[in-house]
Amino acid sequence: MRATQRRRPPSRNLLSAIDPDRLRQLATSVSYVGSVEHKDTPSFAGRPPRPRPDATLCDRALADSRDQLTAWLRTAIAKGAIGGPWEGEFPRYAWYKTGNTVYETRLVNRVQGTYKGYGLLPDEWPKDIETYYE
Amino acid sequence: MSELCFDLEWERVDGSRGDELAATWARLSIRVDATTITRVNDYRSLGLRDRILIPLYPLAEWIATHWWSLLYEVQATGRDGYERRHNLRFGREGFALPDLFIKPTGERALIEWRALELPEARVGFSAGGTRDLELASIRDSLFDLIETLLARLDQEGVTDTGLHQEWRAIQAADEAEAAFCIAAARLGQDPYDLSEPEADAILAAANRLPVGWQDDFFDVANSNT
């Protein structure tokens, strides 16, 4: 038996020990773009909407809330509520909690640092995510 | 012989973001014998259908990332996160996937699926059930699914993804390294996310035990002690 030399962070687990300065800088370079398959109304993600039959649909109240969603994404990253793998300079996942809902944002362009997002079921929340939003 | 079958038909979906997602949209059905696990109530069209339309990349990467656990971790009490390592739903990334467990029991595995409502996707998986299958057949089905995805990604010019990297590492593991990965998985651990002391503890335990005892030991041991 021989130990593997390969190391990589577990997927979709909260990363730890990230330099706060790095997080703050990272947060300024990301933005939320959404994706049309999660929209059933015209939105900043694209017109016309193209809702797919098995895609989680976005809250219609957020259809024109790109700035708010970008702010949520940047808050999540600044707090370090992020998960691997790293893709270029950006974490693939970031999580924002508001009320009793956790949204997972997912990197869709590793050059531009743009993300889309969707809600999670409670048992899909990353372990200990609540501690980032107390 | 009963098998877990992944049957897919590629689709083009305009406007989808994320290269690896856009390249792998497909209509997927998952079946065991005559039972279609992906049969859904579609609350938008008010009908039933057997296939789900999703990008397959997240599911394939989830399977590869949890490969050793899916095939070797026996369910044991006191283990954190077992469901996240064995339930395909945790690979869905905002799309509908059934609540489908793969639970190895040795040379066989229990496939277990449960009804699941996904109101934000406006679908519901209505059926539940269990089947006892040969582990080797499940392994072959998962292997074929990943290989099919990789071929699709390569054809679409999407290369060196996380799935490519993970699969390369798994396929490159020789017998000695695979034995370590299997032991770690049996302990409920990710072999690629261990500290050096944790890895050394696994090797030390394996060196002390007769080969015939190792599987049973790692199946029940608590990695925190």
Side-chain angles (χ1 to χ4, degrees):
Chain A
M1 185 183 287
R2 185 182 72 252
T4 177
Q5 298 303 303
R6 179 176 184 247
R7 292 290 181 274
R8 55 113 176 93
S11 183
R12 298 171 90 183
N13 279 20
L14 285 158
L15 295 172
S16 58
I18 309 295
D19 178 25
D21 287 338
R22 182 183 179 192
L23 289 172
R24 276 191 287 272
Q25 186 170 4
L26 198 56
T28 64
S29 58
V30 299
S31 60
Y32 188 92
V33 295
S35 196
V36 292
E37 67 266 21
H38 295 285
K39 306 288 188 188
D40 65 349
T41 57
S43 74
F44 60 83
R47 296 169 191 268
R50 297 175 192 269
R52 297 301 161 179
D54 300 295
T56 298
L57 291 178
C58 284
D59 183 346
R60 289 179 174 181
L62 296 172
D64 286 317
S65 301
R66 182 173 180 171
D67 289 346
Q68 179 180 344
L69 292 166
T70 294
W72 285 3
L73 168 63
R74 290 178 174 176
T75 297
I77 289 180
K79 285 178 176 288
I82 59 175
W86 289 91
E87 296 188 338
E89 293 295 309
F90 303 102
R92 185 190 286 178
Y93 303 105
W95 296 282
Y96 184 80
K97 184 174 183 291
T98 174
N100 293 321
T101 302
V102 170
Y103 292 98
E104 178 172 274
T105 56
R106 193 224 195 259
L107 185 68
V108 291
N109 188 306
R110 67 172 66 191
V111 174
Q112 297 172 353
T114 53
Y115 288 75
K116 69 165 187 174
Y118 37 84
L120 296 179
L121 297 174
D123 69 348
E124 296 169 349
W125 295 6
K127 190 178 174 187
D128 298 330
I129 188 63
E130 298 96 323
T131 62
Y132 287 71
Y133 292 94
E134 285 169 347
Chain B
M1 184 175 74
S2 293
E3 290 182 336
L4 180 65
C5 294
F6 295 87
D7 184 58
L8 57 102
E9 300 169 351
W10 296 117
E11 286 269 344
R12 293 279 177 203
V13 171
D14 293 335
S16 176
R17 296 192 199 267
D19 291 344
E20 67 276 22
L21 304 177
T24 59
W25 279 86
R27 294 189 186 275
L28 172 71
S29 79
I30 304 175
R31 288 180 289 110
V32 175
D33 298 332
T35 300
T36 302
I37 296 169
T38 46
R39 174 164 290 187
V40 290
N41 290 305
D42 185 328
Y43 299 127
R44 273 179 275 188
S45 67
L46 302 179
L48 274 174
R49 52 184 163 85
D50 286 343
R51 290 181 182 266
I52 49 178
L53 175 61
I54 60 172
L56 286 180
Y57 181 88
L59 173 61
E61 189 188 69
W62 182 89
I63 291 170
T65 304
H66 297 87
W67 181 259
W68 303 107
S69 300
L70 280 170
L71 297 179
Y72 296 103
E73 184 188 9
V74 174
Q75 193 168 19
T77 55
R79 289 262 175 93
D80 238 5
Y82 183 85
E83 182 164 4
R84 287 175 185 257
R85 294 189 293 276
H86 289 266
N87 186 339
L88 270 62
R89 173 168 62 85
F90 287 89
R92 69 189 188 98
E93 283 198 6
F95 297 94
L97 275 176
D99 211 44
L100 173 58
F101 284 87
I102 298 175
K103 298 182 178 180
T105 57
E107 292 190 0
R108 301 188 70 82
L110 192 67
I111 304 299
E112 183 181 303
W113 62 100
R114 303 180 295 201
L116 173 69
E117 293 295 318
L118 294 171
E120 289 179 355
R122 302 188 194 174
V123 294
F125 296 94
S126 55
T130 60
R131 288 286 192 280
D132 182 61
L133 304 180
E134 285 189 8
L135 185 67
S137 76
I138 294 171
R139 182 190 182 283
D140 289 345
S141 295
L142 298 178
F143 181 98
D144 289 345
L145 178 65
I146 291 173
E147 288 281 322
T148 300
L149 261 289
L150 288 169
R152 174 70 170 184
L153 288 166
D154 291 343
Q155 181 184 5
E156 296 292 300
V158 183
T159 57
D160 202 33
T161 63
L163 176 61
H164 285 91
Q165 294 167 19
E166 194 76 17
W167 197 237
R168 263 199 301 269
I170 291 167
Q171 295 302 295
D174 61 15
E175 190 175 335
E177 184 175 325
F180 174 85
C181 292
I182 291 168
R186 286 184 184 277
L187 271 174
Q189 299 297 311
D190 181 344
Y192 305 117
D193 185 43
L194 294 173
S195 66
E196 198 168 324
E198 288 170 332
D200 288 345
I202 292 174
L203 294 172
N207 284 337
R208 288 197 192 103
L209 292 166
V211 170
W213 292 12
Q214 288 178 17
D215 287 353
D216 289 341
F217 172 79
F218 288 118
D219 282 346
V220 299
N222 185 329
S223 60
N224 293 324
T225 59

